[in-house]
Amino acid sequence: MAQRIDYYFTPVSPWAFLGSERFHSVAAKAGAEIAYKPVNFGTIFPASGGLPLAKRAPQRQAYRQVELRRWADHLGIPLQLNPTHFPLADELAALTLIAADEAGADLAVLTTAFGRALWVEDRNIADRETLGEILEKNGVSRSLIERAESDEIRARRDSYTEQALAAGVFGAPSYVLNGEIYWGQDRLDFLESALG
C-alpha cells in the first residue's frame, strides 16, 4: 500500500514553490500518494504563535530575503524576490486548486504552475483571469473557478485548515508523513529518507 503525504501549503508561499518540483520528484520516486491540502494560514498563524510576514521583526524579514536568494541561486530558479503582487490574498488560488483536485487535474503540475506564475513570471494569482489562463495552459477548464467559489469547496478548505491545526502544522510548506511533520522545503532530504 502506497504511503501518503499530507501536503499542507499555500499557493503563494515562495518556499512551497522552491520545493515543489523536488517534492513531487521525491514522492514519485517513493511511489507515495500526495493529499493536497491548501490551508488558511490566516487561521493557523494566530493559533500557533506565528505572524504574517508584514508583522515580523525587520531582522526576520531581512533574513527571509537572504535565504530566498540563497535557495533560488542554489536551485537555479530565477525567483523574483519582491514580486509586484505580493503579498496577496491566496484564497481564490487555494480554492481553485481544491476544485481542480476534485476534478482529477494534475496538482503536481498546477501547484508548481501557480507558484511559477507569482514568483518567476511576476503575475497576480489572486486575479481570476490570470488563474483562468494558467488553468487553460495546463489543460484544465477555467470553469473550475466557479466551482472553486462554492460553499462545498470553501468548507473543504476550512476542513483542511482544521486538519492542519490538529496535526500541529504551523508553517508552509508542511509535509506530514505517518504523523510526523517535515516543515519547509529544506527538510525534503529528511522526508525522502523517511519514505525509504
Side-chain angles (χ1 to χ4, degrees):
M1 187 170 178
Q3 298 183 84
R4 188 180 89 169
I5 305 164
D6 289 328
Y7 179 33
Y8 297 102
F9 68 103
T10 167
V12 303
S13 165
W15 306 109
F17 169 61
L18 285 171
S20 189
E21 289 186 347
R22 287 179 302 131
F23 168 53
H24 289 102
S25 175
V26 164
K29 182 179 169 186
E33 171 193 347
I34 300 172
Y36 293 89
K37 300 185 178 190
V39 296
N40 184 352
F41 280 95
T43 298
I44 291 172
F45 280 162
S48 62
L51 291 173
L53 181 59
K55 293 186 178 179
R56 294 177 197 163
Q59 54 270 59
R60 287 181 178 267
Q61 292 189 43
Y63 188 71
R64 172 185 171 276
Q65 292 289 93
V66 171
E67 281 286 273
L68 282 174
R69 179 183 46 76
R70 284 177 180 159
W71 274 102
D73 290 348
H74 177 69
L75 297 170
I77 296 173
L79 200 74
Q80 299 279 337
L81 293 179
N82 295 293
T84 307
H85 306 286
F86 184 84
L88 74 166
D90 69 346
E91 182 181 46
L92 185 57
L95 295 172
T96 299
L97 288 172
I98 294 170
D101 194 24
E102 175 188 70
D106 187 340
L107 267 284
V109 169
L110 283 181
T111 54
T112 305
F114 278 27
R116 183 180 301 108
L118 174 59
W119 292 103
V120 175
E121 300 166 3
D122 201 15
R123 300 177 72 193
N124 181 4
I125 64 168
D127 175 68
R128 293 174 64 92
E129 182 61 27
T130 300
L131 289 175
E133 290 170 4
I134 297 168
L135 290 173
E136 288 185 342
K137 182 178 178 181
N138 290 283
V140 180
S141 171
R142 67 172 59 219
S143 66
L144 272 179
I145 297 173
E146 292 176 27
R147 171 65 179 157
E149 296 180 299
S150 69
D151 289 342
E152 294 91 341
I153 297 297
R154 291 181 191 279
R156 189 168 302 168
R157 186 176 185 224
D158 290 343
S159 174
Y160 290 162
T161 301
E162 290 302 316
Q163 291 170 36
L165 288 168
V169 167
F170 56 88
S174 287
Y175 318 100
V176 180
L177 176 67
N178 299 324
E180 187 168 346
I181 300 171
Y182 299 84
W183 171 51
Q185 57 84 35
D186 53 343
R187 300 301 187 268
L188 284 170
D189 286 349
F190 295 137
L191 177 64
E192 184 172 28
S193 179
L195 285 165

